[in-house]
Amino acid sequence: MQASSAAAAWSAIKPAAQHTVQVQKGSIRRQRRQHSSVLQVRCYAITGDQHESIATEFEEIFKEVPNKLGAFYRFCRPHTIFGTIIGITSVSLLPIRSIDDFTLKALWGFLEALSSALCMNIYVVGLNQLYDIQIDKVNKPRLPLASGEFSVATGAVLVLTSLIMSIAIGIRSKSAPLICALLISFFLGSAYSVDAPLLRWKRNAFLAASCILFVRAVLVQLAFFAHMQQHVLKRPLAPTKSVVFATLFMCCFSSVIALFKDIPDIDGDRHFGVESLSVYWLCINILLTAYGAAILAGASSTNLCRMIITVFGHGLLAFALWQRAQHCDVENKAWITSFYMFIWKLFYAEYFLIPFVQ
């Protein structure tokens, strides 16, 4: 009887116990599902924040890259870069006698000369900016070091890297004229800017002009001509009419650039008086005289096509210079700066005419 009573009691309790256990399990499952949902939401939120953060970083990088490239472009002083590219290309064509000279070896020799010269160009203009930060804040505030877009450390790294690359390319080429040109450019560029005893030649008008004249007028024409003629094409080094003309003409042009370059940097009415006006017209007269000599040199050519191109080309450039010079406003700094860049455009144009002087 007791056993049967216990069994009956257990049979009555068991469904209730099972129901309780099921309820508890269901509650636990619901709690787990709730916790799981909360965790998933939190994970999605964290993942979403991470994606948004990464996307924001990429957007900032994409926005920053063009700004840094633009700053580097201005750091390189593009008008001097274009002058180097056009000048070396033109001079490198002077030793070329026929289509047979356009070989892969000649192309490689030209690229060695051009790349090393461009790196040296960046070194020279960058070094000048490093030592002229305070001056450039007044005269050239858009330059990256003066504006703060580049730190001094960044500028120093760019300058040093450019120098190392230039010298390394020169040494690898094993070209004596090219190495000589790079070392002389390094010395004169450093002497021009570095503020040290017996240096900082830019403080002296004669020494500053001599540096620019020697590099732009003599070194570029003779050294890079010798590099192509002697080292690349393996021919005896002999001056030609075109390289002599290029050297003499660019002496005049480089003198004008050296004289004219500081006029836009002068602030104050006392600097924009008779002295600046005299320098201005001196530069104009030097260029017009050079163009007159170039027209005579072109007229002496025995090749009719070359003669027409040389005479007409130099006459057109001289006329453009004279027309623009008549509207001078030496007291207007913006106008003087614009005219200075116009002189650089004439400088570029001349290198397109030099190969026709034979």
Side-chain angles (χ1 to χ4, degrees):
M1 289 294 292
Q2 290 179 351
S4 61
S5 299
W10 171 248
S11 61
I13 294 172
K14 183 177 180 181
Q18 289 178 342
H19 176 71
T20 302
V21 171
Q22 288 176 352
V23 169
Q24 289 177 347
K25 287 182 178 180
S27 177
I28 291 172
R29 280 197 294 269
R30 284 194 298 271
Q31 288 178 356
R32 285 179 178 175
R33 282 197 297 269
Q34 290 175 352
H35 287 307
S36 176
S37 300
V38 171
L39 288 174
Q40 287 178 352
V41 170
R42 289 179 180 176
C43 287
Y44 287 140
I46 293 172
T47 305
D49 290 341
Q50 289 178 342
H51 283 309
E52 288 181 5
S53 177
I54 293 172
T56 302
E57 289 179 3
F58 273 111
E59 287 180 4
E60 291 177 354
I61 290 173
F62 284 132
K63 289 180 181 178
E64 191 68 16
V65 167
N67 294 334
K68 292 300 182 183
L69 289 177
F72 179 71
Y73 177 77
R74 282 179 276 115
F75 180 80
C76 295
R77 307 296 281 149
H79 63 282
T80 65
I81 291 290
F82 295 153
T84 299
I85 293 172
I86 297 170
I88 291 178
T89 302
S90 177
V91 171
S92 297
L93 290 173
L94 298 183
I96 302 296
R97 296 177 182 174
S98 66
I99 195 69
D100 294 333
D101 289 335
F102 287 99
T103 62
L104 287 177
K105 182 180 179 182
L107 177 61
W108 183 252
F110 163 71
L111 291 177
E112 285 179 327
L114 182 61
S115 58
S116 60
L118 287 175
C119 289
M120 185 58 69
N121 195 127
I122 296 172
Y123 165 76
V124 171
V125 298
L127 185 70
N128 186 57
Q129 291 173 68
L130 282 173
Y131 281 93
D132 279 4
I133 293 176
Q134 298 304 318
I135 297 173
D136 289 339
K137 285 181 179 180
V138 177
N139 294 324
K140 303 181 183 76
R142 290 188 68 255
L143 292 179
L145 288 175
S147 66
E149 292 175 87
F150 282 171
S151 65
V152 175
T154 299
V157 169
L158 291 173
V159 166
L160 184 60
T161 302
S162 299
L163 176 63
I164 293 173
M165 290 176 62
S166 177
I167 299 299
I169 295 171
I171 292 174
R172 187 185 182 284
S173 72
K174 299 179 181 179
S175 170
L178 180 57
I179 295 172
C180 181
L182 296 175
L183 292 178
I184 293 175
S185 298
F186 163 69
F187 171 73
L188 292 179
S190 301
Y192 181 86
S193 299
V194 173
D195 193 1
L198 302 179
L199 299 178
R200 191 72 171 169
W201 290 2
K202 67 179 298 179
R203 283 189 294 231
N204 183 289
F206 175 76
L207 289 176
S210 298
C211 287
I212 296 172
L213 189 149
F214 186 80
V215 172
R216 288 288 177 186
V218 179
L219 198 62
V220 170
Q221 323 317 317
L222 299 183
F224 290 96
F225 174 83
H227 167 71
M228 291 298 295
Q229 175 88 342
Q230 191 177 44
H231 176 74
V232 178
L233 298 176
K234 305 299 182 184
R235 291 173 182 161
L237 183 59
T240 62
K241 179 182 177 180
S242 56
V243 76
V244 171
F245 167 79
T247 303
L248 295 176
F249 190 93
M250 286 305 170
C251 279
C252 297
F253 231 118
S254 298
S255 299
V256 169
I257 289 175
L259 289 171
F260 210 99
K261 68 178 290 295
D262 291 328
I263 295 179
D265 293 342
I266 301 174
D267 283 324
D269 293 338
R270 66 186 181 84
H271 294 293
F272 288 106
V274 177
E275 183 179 353
S276 294
L277 187 62
S278 300
V279 172
Y280 173 83
W281 281 109
L282 174 63
C283 292
I284 301 301
N285 290 329
I286 290 174
L287 288 179
L288 290 175
T289 302
Y291 281 129
I295 291 172
L296 292 176
S300 66
S301 176
T302 57
N303 186 301
L304 181 61
C305 182
R306 292 179 184 275
M307 181 188 72
I308 292 173
I309 292 174
T310 305
V311 172
F312 178 76
H314 285 103
L316 185 63
L317 294 178
F319 178 76
L321 172 65
W322 177 252
Q323 282 291 101
R324 185 151 181 171
Q326 297 306 304
H327 306 287
C328 70
D329 185 5
V330 184
E331 295 184 0
N332 187 331
K333 183 177 178 180
W335 189 92
I336 288 293
T337 302
S338 174
F339 193 85
Y340 175 65
M341 299 312 299
F342 173 71
I343 290 176
W344 271 97
K345 292 175 183 176
L346 295 177
F347 180 82
Y348 306 151
E350 183 57 34
Y351 274 114
F352 287 100
L353 294 174
I354 285 175
F356 293 99
V357 179
Q358 296 289 346

